Amino acid sequence: EKGEYHPTPTIIEAANSLFNNQNVNEISRSDAEAENLSVTTETVLDLIQRAKAQKEKHICFITGVPGSGKTLAGLKIVHDARVKDTDDAAVFLSGNGPLVKVLREALRINALENNRGTRADVKVSVESFIQNIHHFRDNERDSKKPPVEKIVVFDEAQRAWNREKTSSFMSKKRGVANFNRSEPDFLMSILDRHNDWAFVICLVGGGQEIHDGEAGIQEWFDSIEKNYAHWHISASERIIEGDYLKINDLEDIKRKTRFSCNDALHLKTSLRSFRSENVSKLINSIISNEIESVRSLYESVKERYKITITRDLNVAKKWLRLNARGNERYGIIASSGGLRLRKYGLHVKNDIDPVDWFLKNRDDVRSSFALEEVATEFDIQGLELDWACIAWDADLRYTSDSWGCMRFRGSSWQNVKSEIQRRYLLNTYRVLLTRARQGMVIFIPEGDLNDLTALPSYYNGTFEMLSEVGFEVLR
């Protein structure tokens, strides 16, 4: 009744609560202590008020582990009364098409069910709350005027395109010649048109770039240093750690920009995996091939967060159905490069409708519950399931104590030699393995000696490594 959730709400539930003007300040979990999102959101709201009062242009970076609530923080800031009840327009932008579609449809359904306006009114309200970043960019492309918005949240800012990708897209898809700017540089230029103040919030996940042309947040810092040195920057010291920035010298950043450290801008506790905050650390250790760390971390999570492995897809499906309670959502997810999963009835090249997959009920064969359609990293990034089956193909295989990265071309597997393509593939599995809120089953095929594209040796190393670290084997 007070708009609070016990335990943590899904991002869809939380977005609905914000849209209905309910309170999600106190997001709690039933079985683990979590840092409160209000610390981060209040910090950003205070920075916005300061920028407005002092007529400054300001960009802040909210970093965090997968599932720590970055998207929720951005939605909450945009919908806060101190922002939405003023003349200073704010918008939440995301280049994640499935996330935008799913959240918009969930908000639309919820608003109509609660009689919050006509269909036309609801459509306008929902679309003003969450917008696609590419539409925003296109709308502002030919304008010289400042945008209506003074406050802009960029979700998954690490996935913004580099100059080559943006230029190619604008030329081929929009017919714009000589567009020679990266997406961060152009988006900054739009807000820089304001004569007085503007505020940009970048939501950043480390190790989440999964596609060609995604620049990471280094591109934002390079653009600021080159063209927007008058902007103030706020971020946690964690911005130089892990997979966020190539630069690891904070003093160098401070010399080149107007940089201020604020530790409240890093969300270090996973809210998605409310069973244990160590799940993200565990997955990072798997991807980083830190096997001893995987063993110790799994000991700390296994009583509260279930991870199992199997060679039988039907066993995995049965496990999902047995563990899910009530309306808890489950589904099968896999790498978009897992082309030989087709041998087991999983067609990663078949496009799903994310709205149907994430929102339809158990009696709808298009929903995730049917366990017929598989979502890839592109469909599920930024979203979540309560229980997930991760179908693990031979594109990422564990052999000789290291990860082998492969791409299926024609009728055979080929080594991925490009360092950035290897990173994208590792990040793909990082995304897949951090989508489940309560637990997951990993399906690793047994392979087939009579099929040179799916030999048992392609899969056995991964299965043996994951079983040796202690994951329960289902038969």
Side-chain angles (χ1 to χ4, degrees):
E1 291 179 356
K2 296 179 181 178
E4 296 174 1
Y5 284 89
H6 305 276
T8 308
T10 66
I11 186 60
I12 293 172
E13 291 171 330
N16 274 325
S17 292
L18 288 169
F19 199 62
N20 290 330
N21 296 315
Q22 290 177 291
N23 176 28
V24 291
N25 280 348
E26 302 302 325
I27 290 187
S28 60
R29 300 195 299 227
S30 59
D31 55 0
E33 182 179 355
E35 290 194 356
N36 203 316
L37 277 176
S38 63
V39 175
T40 298
T41 54
E42 287 298 319
T43 297
V44 175
L45 288 165
D46 287 344
L47 288 172
I48 290 172
Q49 297 305 314
R50 190 186 80 180
K52 182 178 181 180
Q54 299 182 4
K55 292 183 169 50
E56 296 174 343
K57 291 173 180 174
H58 202 126
I59 182 170
C60 75
F61 295 85
I62 299 179
T63 52
V65 300
S68 57
K70 298 181 292 294
T71 298
L72 178 56
L75 290 171
K76 186 178 182 303
I77 290 163
V78 169
H79 210 65
D80 190 274
R82 284 161 287 183
V83 171
K84 73 170 187 171
D85 293 343
T86 69
D87 294 330
D88 307 314
V91 65
F92 181 95
L93 299 176
S94 177
N96 184 337
L99 175 71
V100 172
K101 289 179 181 177
V102 170
L103 289 183
R104 277 184 168 182
E105 181 62 12
L107 293 174
R108 187 190 70 81
I109 292 170
N110 181 272
L112 291 174
E113 287 177 347
N114 287 280
N115 298 314
R116 293 179 59 83
T118 66
R119 289 181 180 273
D121 290 339
V122 167
K123 183 177 185 295
V124 171
S125 183
V126 167
E127 291 183 358
S128 64
F129 184 33
I130 299 172
Q131 294 186 32
N132 189 298
I133 195 170
H134 304 306
H135 297 163
F136 178 84
R137 179 199 60 212
D138 291 348
N139 288 338
E140 297 294 337
R141 186 187 68 215
D142 298 324
S143 175
K144 302 296 183 183
K145 297 179 181 179
V148 173
E149 295 82 6
K150 285 285 190 94
I151 303 164
V152 175
V153 175
F154 292 120
D155 191 32
E156 295 184 13
Q158 78 282 352
R159 296 189 64 192
W161 293 345
N162 60 25
R163 181 179 57 81
E164 292 77 14
K165 175 76 171 182
T166 309
S167 299
S168 174
F169 177 86
M170 296 301 283
S171 174
K172 294 178 181 178
K173 301 294 186 180
R174 299 292 188 265
V176 179
N178 301 318
F179 191 95
N180 199 32
R181 309 179 80 165
S182 68
E183 201 164 41
D185 187 71
F186 183 60
L187 293 171
M188 288 283 291
S189 74
I190 294 172
L191 274 297
D192 197 50
R193 296 172 192 164
H194 286 291
N195 292 324
D196 47 4
W197 71 281
F199 202 95
V200 172
I201 301 121
C202 289
L203 310 180
V204 181
Q208 298 286 294
E209 303 92 344
I210 57 176
H211 203 283
D212 288 346
E214 292 178 356
I217 60 168
Q218 186 66 50
E219 187 68 39
W220 291 90
F221 275 78
D222 290 347
S223 294
I224 293 166
E225 181 183 339
K226 184 184 295 184
N227 298 320
Y228 309 104
H230 56 289
W231 280 65
H232 296 261
I233 307 173
S234 291
S236 160
E237 289 190 2
R238 299 288 291 274
I239 199 77
I240 64 169
E241 297 181 5
D243 296 303
Y244 296 116
L245 277 178
K246 298 174 186 175
I247 302 170
N248 57 12
D249 185 352
L250 200 59
E251 293 305 315
D252 185 52
I253 296 174
K254 290 178 179 178
R255 283 193 298 270
K256 295 177 179 178
T257 63
R258 300 184 178 189
F259 183 89
S260 298
C261 288
N262 194 319
D263 289 340
L265 296 176
H266 181 76
L267 296 165
K268 63 183 179 181
T269 301
S270 176
L271 297 180
R272 175 177 298 133
S273 305
F274 61 82
R275 297 291 184 188
S276 173
E277 64 187 64
N278 284 332
V279 173
S280 293
K281 296 178 183 178
L282 169 65
I283 301 308
N284 282 335
S285 294
I286 292 174
I287 299 302
S288 302
N289 193 25
E290 299 169 352
I291 303 306
E292 289 305 316
S293 178
V294 175
R295 290 192 180 98
S296 62
L297 285 166
Y298 184 57
E299 285 298 315
S300 72
V301 309
K302 66 181 183 180
E303 296 301 321
R304 296 178 291 180
Y305 186 92
K306 296 182 180 180
I307 305 178
T308 56
I309 55 176
T310 185
R311 313 304 294 267
D312 189 326
L313 183 58
N314 288 324
V315 170
K317 291 179 178 180
K318 182 179 179 180
W319 185 88
L320 289 176
R321 293 184 177 115
L322 286 175
N323 279 278
R325 297 288 183 269
N327 292 325
E328 292 174 349
R329 183 167 288 273
Y330 55 81
I332 302 174
I333 58 180
S335 162
S336 60
L339 299 186
R340 292 309 295 134
L341 292 172
R342 187 173 64 179
K343 186 179 181 72
Y344 304 92
L346 301 177
H347 300 264
V348 298
K349 286 300 182 184
N350 284 359
D351 291 335
I352 68 167
D353 185 329
V355 170
D356 291 336
W357 202 83
F358 280 101
L359 298 180
K360 296 297 184 183
N361 296 323
R362 292 173 185 267
D363 58 354
D364 195 312
V365 295
R366 297 168 295 177
S367 77
S368 66
F369 291 120
L371 301 179
E372 293 185 5
E373 293 188 321
V374 58
T376 71
E377 70 273 18
F378 300 116
D379 301 311
I380 201 167
Q381 189 173 37
L383 292 159
E384 59 204 353
L385 297 165
D386 288 295
W387 304 90
C389 169
I390 291 85
W392 198 308
D393 202 8
D395 53 339
L396 186 66
R397 58 183 76 166
Y398 197 77
T399 55
S400 303
D401 300 325
S402 64
W403 288 116
C405 297
M406 311 293 290
R407 179 187 294 110
F408 194 76
R409 286 283 178 85
S411 60
S412 63
W413 292 101
Q414 300 175 1
N415 277 307
V416 176
K417 297 179 180 179
S418 164
E419 187 58 38
I420 191 167
Q421 294 299 327
R422 289 175 59 84
R423 178 158 61 88
Y424 287 151
L425 180 55
L426 289 168
N427 286 347
T428 289
Y429 277 84
R430 192 197 315 274
V431 168
L432 295 173
L433 292 165
T434 53
R435 294 307 99 187
R437 287 159 50 81
Q438 300 196 53
M440 61 181 151
V441 54
I442 301 172
F443 163 59
I444 304 170
E446 288 188 338
D448 182 351
L449 285 171
N450 297 313
D451 184 346
L452 295 180
T453 69
L455 293 172
S457 59
Y458 295 170
Y459 302 98
N460 288 342
T462 304
F463 178 81
E464 290 165 5
M465 184 273 285
L466 294 179
S467 60
E468 285 173 3
V469 299
F471 294 172
E472 179 186 356
V473 178
L474 305 176
R475 303 187 189 279

